[in-house]
Amino acid sequence: FIAQLSDANGAFIFPQNIGSISSTTSGIINALIPQSTIAGTHYRIRVVGTNPVTIGSDNGVDITIYSNPIPVITASGNTAICHGDSVILSSSSSANYLWNNFETTQNITVTAAGYYFVITTGSNGCSSSSAMTIVSYLPNPVSVISANRSLILCTGDSVTLSSNSALNYLWNTASTMQSITTSIAGNYFVSVTDSSGCRGFSANAVVVLDIPPIPI
């Protein structure tokens, strides 16, 4: 036996098969309404026998099938983010929301790379799941300091510290140049920013002032 669903007007010109059972007498057919079925208020269901071919009457009562729109996720910006940054993911409008990170608001702020989707439930109680949105991390730029000479200075000497190439620079001296020159002992480091807006920090360059003893 095959359970068939009519069109939205109750006609069985092109019925959809929604369930079946192998039996010579009777039984229960578990029917599944296809997700592509359009909303309507005049659907009917009938059962058709296959051996011999027998077409039964419809159920005699109109059935209402509600729409089940698939939610769409939009992002506030690039879904490839720098470490420490975030992106806002928003679901299309619905009555209720359940994200796979267990948040239940229409918009979520994402700070971790991963796969994100949302299940929405409309006012009619029907639920649908969105496609997955992938949030990934961009690589942080590597920041390296090089020096034009030894970092051990004698009185009156200086050393030039240079960063590898980047879009922007910020030294702990507040300089924004690629290179700085110093004659002062201390720890020096630089943060660099690439074209994606991601930032990387160098290791410390330790400048030492070697003061020789005064001869007597």
Side-chain angles (χ1 to χ4, degrees), residues 142-216:
V142 177
S143 179
V144 178
I145 294 176
S146 59
N148 68 333
R149 54 154 295 163
S150 170
L151 298 181
I152 301 176
L153 306 181
C154 298
T155 303
D157 288 344
S158 64
V159 60
T160 297
L161 305 177
S162 300
S163 167
N164 56 313
S165 181
L167 186 64
N168 291 294
Y169 313 89
L170 180 60
W171 294 82
N172 61 319
T173 62
S175 172
T176 56
M177 304 299 291
Q178 185 173 0
S179 300
I180 61 172
T181 299
T182 184
S183 58
I184 302 173
N187 294 331
Y188 295 86
F189 62 87
V190 62
S191 67
V192 297
T193 305
D194 62 17
S195 58
S196 299
C198 296
R199 180 177 293 183
F201 291 85
S202 71
N204 285 344
V206 182
V207 175
V208 178
L209 189 60
D210 183 14
I211 301 175
I214 299 173
I216 297 175

Side-chain angles (χ1 to χ4, degrees), residues 13 31 35 38 54-55 61 68 83-84 87 109 113 117 134 151 157 179 184 187 195 200 214:
I13 300 174
Q35 191 168 8
I38 62 173
T54 306
I55 299 177
V61 178
N68 198 21
H83 288 267
V87 61
T109 300
F117 64 88
I134 301 174
L151 298 181
D157 288 344
S179 300
I184 302 173
N187 294 331
S195 58
I214 299 173

